[in-house]
Amino acid sequence: MASVHPRRVRPAKQLVAAALHRGHTRPLRPLPPSPSSTGQLRGGSGGGHGAARGGGGEASTPPGTARRGAAGMPHTEYEFASRTVNSCRRFHWIPSLQRPPCGPRTNVETYEGQHSANKASEVQKRTFGSAATHNQRNPAYSELNSDDVCYFKSILGDNGVVQDEDRIAVANVDWMGKYKGASQLLLLPKSTKEVSKILSYCNTRRLAVVPQGGNTGLVGGSVPVYDEVIVSLAGMDKIISFDNVNGILTSEAGCVLENLSTFVENEGFIMPLDLGAKGSCHIGGNISTNAGGLRFIRYGSLHGNVLGLEVVLADGTILDMLTTLRKDNTGYDLKHLFIGSEGSLGVVTKVAVLTPAKLPATNVAFLSCNDYTSCQKLLLAARRNLGEILSAFEFMDHHCIDLAIRHLEGVQNPLPASQYKFYVLIETTGSDESYDKTKLEAFLLRSMEDGLVSDGVIAQDISQASNFWRIREGISEASVKVGAVYKYDLSIPVEKLYDIVEEMRCRLGDNAEVLGYGHLGDGNLHLNILSSKYDDSILTQIEPFVYEWTSAQRGSISAEHGLGLMKAEKIHYSKSTEAVQLMASIKKLLDPNSILNPYKVLPQSVL
């Protein structure tokens, strides 16, 4: 946004009358459009989950990831020019600031590729920043030899077998620099048959394998723990077909989410998920981690949007479930076993996804609230009053805003005049711009009258909306720039969701900075704890308390990021013994040699 001090403009007569009638001392004030706006999407540089903006599921933002713009807003200049831009109105309410119970937090500021399992163990122990049990390398796994490399070259060619230390080093470490393996081999198959041959051979030889997509996850699920062979799906990036009547996309698993989004938008549809790491994450990785993201409140989980899968099992069997049917009740719906299994049951190679129609009208509002209770009430009011057009409801505490402003280039606070405790981003998407805008403005006026909203702006143009989303999506990226970050992805009943943030601040005091943000509409909290470096004394104050607290609320310790390496041994906090045992039975049935993504998802004691 080019101006942080909006000029005063006389708004529509009926809105002035409504505001004055309700006792407001000032009429609504529009923000001027950004002078630099051209109508083109202004993505941020550097950053972005994978699972994205996804990958896993937090709107996580690994470096180098392309940025989303104004959510459903047009992505090209000609699209922008063909639409009426949204008005940007400012609502004024003089707040009484409230302090957090413990006061504000103080800001805190290669592997060499040798063939040695012991060296691998040292690397894993040195760089792993979680309290998960350090499993010893399973001696049942074979070690890679020259014959193995020769075989892989015979099926993939020299270009499909990477032994260069620099290239392998990139694939060995996650984007946060928190998890690092010691693989000596990166394989780049270009077809399902090649994946099948790789897994069949590795199963026979008992070589452990790590499937890898965009490597944007947050729990160590996409990188080796020791010397596992990395199988990257990056070369399998073809769009196979698109049904433009029913909106059904069929593609290979290595397609980047943003590329798929661009493709289907040109056909008049959108992807049902949107993540901070959309410029890097792969659709196969999204499905394997059951990524949630920013559109979950509107379109639900991938369990409801994935129609079919093609999966290669550990022994090389190609399991063809690539149906595009909306209804199919013939037997067990096996694809759901692989959605969210993190590559531990099979490697997803092709996907069929149902894509919703792209709607022409999008509005984005950035609001402030004085307390968390107001955020909850605002969510309920939004569901009741915005109904079918509500497409995102994201919340952030003021620590998140401060962090984003400090560490993200070009980001400005849309509400700079005063410090508020909480901020909410609301997006609406519908088919009638005039109707949707009127509905949103009426909702915001009513929310002000009820004392739920203290201040707020509605994006007038693509640049302002992009700035609003950049703040929300860039929190994860900004947190990594501080130094060490302990990330927890929790599902908690909404009324209790922020309690854990305040309790953690009390526990840690000035030793770390604690942030709370996430998808309030889904009951999904992203708890980020920042310090200058990874410190065991800080970790022991966080874990297992964070898991015990979540379990006591009957919440989930993994809302959308997965379990990976970080939380494999913690699954019992969210799942019963019987459920874990059944999962282990399925794992043993489909992968009896446990070659697929070992040490992840399930405790080693049950396998």
Side-chain angles (χ1 to χ4, degrees):
M1 292 172 60
S3 173
V4 295
H5 298 292
R7 61 185 175 86
R8 185 145 185 194
V9 179
R10 179 178 175 82
K13 185 179 296 183
Q14 65 270 29
L15 291 178
V16 174
L20 295 178
H21 175 71
R22 291 179 171 97
H24 296 299
T25 57
R26 298 189 183 188
L28 306 178
R29 301 192 304 168
L31 281 173
S34 304
S36 60
S37 296
T38 63
Q40 292 177 304
L41 183 67
R42 293 173 58 190
S45 61
H49 216 253
R53 244 187 53 69
E58 174 178 352
S60 53
T61 48
T65 297
R67 287 287 175 188
R68 87 199 289 276
M73 286 192 169
H75 286 253
T76 62
E77 186 170 6
Y78 78 86
E79 281 180 298
F80 182 81
S82 68
R83 285 182 43 200
T84 304
V85 296
N86 300 321
S87 67
C88 182
R89 305 189 181 279
R90 183 155 187 163
F91 304 83
H92 269 270
W93 192 287
I94 304 302
S96 57
L97 296 180
Q98 298 182 14
R99 301 289 182 186
C102 297
R105 298 278 66 79
T106 301
N107 295 331
V108 186
E109 309 209 319
T110 94
Y111 174 68
E112 292 299 323
Q114 298 302 314
H115 187 59
S116 166
N118 290 334
K119 180 78 171 180
S121 176
E122 291 172 9
V123 171
Q124 190 262 351
K125 289 182 179 180
R126 185 174 62 251
T127 61
F128 181 55
S130 173
T133 301
H134 294 305
N135 297 299
Q136 296 297 314
R137 183 186 185 278
N138 188 340
Y141 295 134
S142 299
E143 294 185 357
L144 190 72
N145 61 39
S146 58
D147 291 339
D148 300 325
V149 175
C150 288
Y151 173 78
F152 294 131
K153 287 184 177 179
S154 74
I155 61 172
L156 303 177
D158 289 346
N159 291 336
V161 179
V162 178
Q163 293 178 284
D164 177 74
E165 291 183 10
D166 292 337
R167 291 181 65 186
I168 293 176
V170 173
N172 259 319
V173 65
D174 77 312
W175 71 273
M176 296 185 299
K178 183 175 180 180
Y179 303 94
K180 186 175 182 181
S183 177
Q184 302 146 60
L185 192 67
L186 170 64
L187 303 180
L188 303 171
K190 291 186 175 297
S191 70
T192 300
K193 286 186 178 180
E194 290 180 354
V195 175
S196 174
K197 289 179 180 179
I198 291 170
L199 294 189
S200 177
Y201 180 85
C202 288
N203 190 57
T204 300
R205 278 274 293 124
R206 204 155 189 179
L207 289 169
V209 170
V210 174
Q212 189 173 91
N215 196 16
T216 57
L218 295 163
V219 291
S222 60
V223 293
V225 179
Y226 296 107
D227 55 350
E228 300 90 277
V229 174
I230 303 170
V231 179
S232 169
L233 279 294
M236 298 178 62
D237 59 353
K238 299 181 184 65
I239 294 174
I240 298 168
S241 66
F242 185 73
D243 177 350
N244 58 11
V245 174
N246 297 300
I248 299 172
L249 172 72
T250 305
S251 76
E252 292 182 322
C255 290
V256 173
L257 178 59
E258 187 170 46
N259 294 342
L260 294 180
S261 294
T262 300
F263 175 84
V264 299
E265 284 181 17
N266 289 336
E267 299 291 332
F269 295 82
I270 64 171
M271 293 298 289
L273 77 161
D274 191 14
L275 309 170
K278 66 187 296 181
S280 300
C281 64
H282 296 178
I283 189 64
N286 299 151
I287 290 170
S288 295
T289 55
N290 191 25
L294 301 162
R295 291 176 178 161
F296 190 99
I297 191 173
R298 178 73 168 264
Y299 300 113
S301 83
L302 288 172
H303 279 288
N305 292 294
V306 173
L307 300 179
L309 294 176
E310 178 187 80
V311 178
V312 181
L313 301 182
D315 64 358
T317 299
I318 299 173
L319 190 59
D320 185 357
M321 306 171 289
L322 199 63
T323 179
T324 57
L325 301 175
R326 296 288 300 276
K327 291 184 175 181
D328 181 5
N329 278 351
T330 51
Y332 305 123
D333 198 347
L334 296 176
K335 68 176 180 287
H336 291 293
L337 280 176
F338 302 95
I339 300 173
S341 67
E342 303 181 54
S344 65
L345 299 180
V347 178
V348 174
T349 49
K350 292 188 179 74
V351 307
V353 180
L354 181 66
T355 64
K358 180 182 178 182
L359 301 176
T362 297
N363 292 281
V364 184
F366 195 88
L367 314 172
S368 63
C369 300
N370 279 332
D371 52 56
Y372 180 67
T373 299
S374 295
C375 295
Q376 296 178 65
K377 292 180 178 178
L378 188 65
L379 171 62
L380 178 59
R383 283 182 161 142
R384 286 178 173 168
N385 295 287
L386 300 177
E388 77 286 354
I389 65 171
L390 181 63
S391 55
F393 193 103
E394 302 289 309
F395 95 105
M396 303 146 273
D397 62 24
H398 71 87
H399 298 275
C400 297
I401 303 297
D402 294 343
L403 181 79
I405 301 304
R406 289 199 312 267
H407 293 289
L408 299 180
E409 184 179 354
V411 168
Q412 296 178 342
N413 187 348
L415 303 172
S418 302
Q419 177 77 68
Y420 302 98
K421 190 172 181 182
F422 293 97
Y423 296 84
V424 170
L425 186 153
I426 293 178
E427 180 188 84
T428 65
T429 309
S431 57
D432 187 324
E433 180 162 354
S434 177
Y435 169 80
D436 293 353
K437 184 166 62 177
T438 300
K439 192 171 186 176
L440 178 60
E441 289 173 341
F443 162 71
L444 294 177
L445 281 170
R446 192 158 44 244
S447 298
M448 285 183 61
E449 182 183 48
D450 294 338
L452 304 182
V453 173
S454 304
D455 199 356
V457 288
I458 301 174
Q460 176 177 322
D461 56 38
I462 196 87
S463 176
Q464 291 173 358
S466 179
N467 181 61
F468 295 176
W469 273 114
R470 171 69 168 142
I471 292 170
R472 166 60 186 89
E473 294 175 330
I475 296 169
S476 186
E477 173 193 348
S479 67
V480 176
K481 295 182 179 181
V482 172
V485 54
Y486 303 86
K487 289 179 173 287
Y488 298 91
D489 164 49
L490 311 171
S491 272
I492 301 170
V494 172
E495 66 274 13
K496 296 280 189 180
L497 185 141
Y498 199 72
D499 292 354
I500 182 63
V501 181
E502 294 176 329
E503 289 208 33
M504 197 59 73
R505 287 191 182 125
C506 290
R507 287 179 67 86
L508 293 173
D510 293 336
N511 294 323
E513 184 177 9
V514 181
L515 313 180
Y517 66 101
H519 318 296
L520 194 61
D522 315 331
N524 182 186
L525 171 71
H526 295 309
L527 175 67
N528 284 12
I529 299 168
L530 316 181
S531 63
S532 58
K533 63 180 181 179
Y534 290 113
D535 188 323
D536 287 343
S537 65
I538 292 177
L539 188 58
T540 55
Q541 290 180 279
I542 302 171
E543 300 182 20
F545 172 77
V546 65
Y547 300 128
E548 293 170 344
W549 191 96
T550 303
S551 181
Q553 311 305 318
R554 297 189 64 81
S556 170
I557 65 168
S558 179
E560 60 181 4
H561 292 174
L563 293 168
L565 176 65
M566 177 181 175
K567 292 181 273 192
E569 301 293 331
K570 313 297 183 184
I571 190 172
H572 61 274
Y573 285 107
S574 294
K575 292 292 185 284
S576 68
T577 300
E578 294 77 13
V580 174
Q581 288 293 341
L582 181 57
M583 293 179 197
S585 297
I586 295 170
K587 168 71 171 176
K588 293 173 184 176
L589 175 66
L590 297 180
D591 182 16
N593 289 329
S594 250
I595 66 163
L596 290 176
N597 224 5
Y599 319 107
K600 322 281 180 60
V601 184
L602 294 175
Q604 295 303 294
S605 60
V606 301
L607 297 175

